[in-house]
Amino acid sequence: MYPDFKKQDGLVPAIVTDATTKEVLMLAYMNQESYEKTLATDETWFYSRSRKGLWHKGETSGHVQRVVGIKIDCDNDTLLIEVEQTGAACHTGEKSCFYRTIK
């Protein structure tokens, strides 16, 4: 199964969860190159929309994500990536990017 990168200008959302707790850690985007690097290295790679380039999660912080499994949705345009997280997933230092409650 291969993501359909043509649907959304070459990017697909990637929802990253903790493989053990199932907690949602973050949402990022992948292009074809970052997807293939993720498959090849078993660590997450994303496409940074702000930097307009590849981003290896944990490259500077050391908070890498080891890929345990990857699932794809029924439309082939969203990925669910289960990881073993080293350190914090969020750039703020929080375990998850979803640490703020609205309601």
Side-chain angles (χ1 to χ4, degrees):
M1 203 61 53
Y2 204 80
D4 187 348
F5 292 104
K6 295 176 187 171
K7 281 186 183 178
Q8 301 176 68
D9 296 326
L11 300 177
V12 296
I15 303 162
V16 181
T17 64
D18 183 293
T20 303
T21 67
K22 307 304 181 202
E23 178 180 13
V24 175
L25 300 176
M26 59 183 284
L27 168 71
Y29 292 88
M30 288 186 159
N31 65 3
Q32 185 171 341
E33 184 179 7
S34 63
Y35 175 72
E36 290 172 357
K37 284 181 96 57
T38 296
L39 292 177
T41 64
D42 287 329
E43 291 187 355
T44 55
W45 286 77
F46 302 105
Y47 180 81
S48 170
R49 295 174 301 162
S50 58
R51 291 179 256 168
K52 297 186 181 352
L54 288 186
W55 158 44
H56 179 219
K57 178 67 175 154
E59 183 175 9
T60 56
S61 68
H63 297 173
V64 296
Q65 295 173 334
R66 191 182 75 73
V67 176
V68 173
I70 301 176
K71 296 179 181 179
I72 193 164
D73 77 332
C74 57
D75 293 324
N76 294 335
D77 61 9
T78 302
L79 297 170
L80 179 64
I81 304 175
E82 297 175 312
V83 301
E84 288 178 353
Q85 176 70 50
T86 300
C90 185
H91 74 281
T92 65
E94 295 289 332
K95 179 181 177 189
S96 167
C97 292
F98 296 95
Y99 62 92
R100 300 181 297 171
T101 302
I102 293 175
K103 183 175 178 178

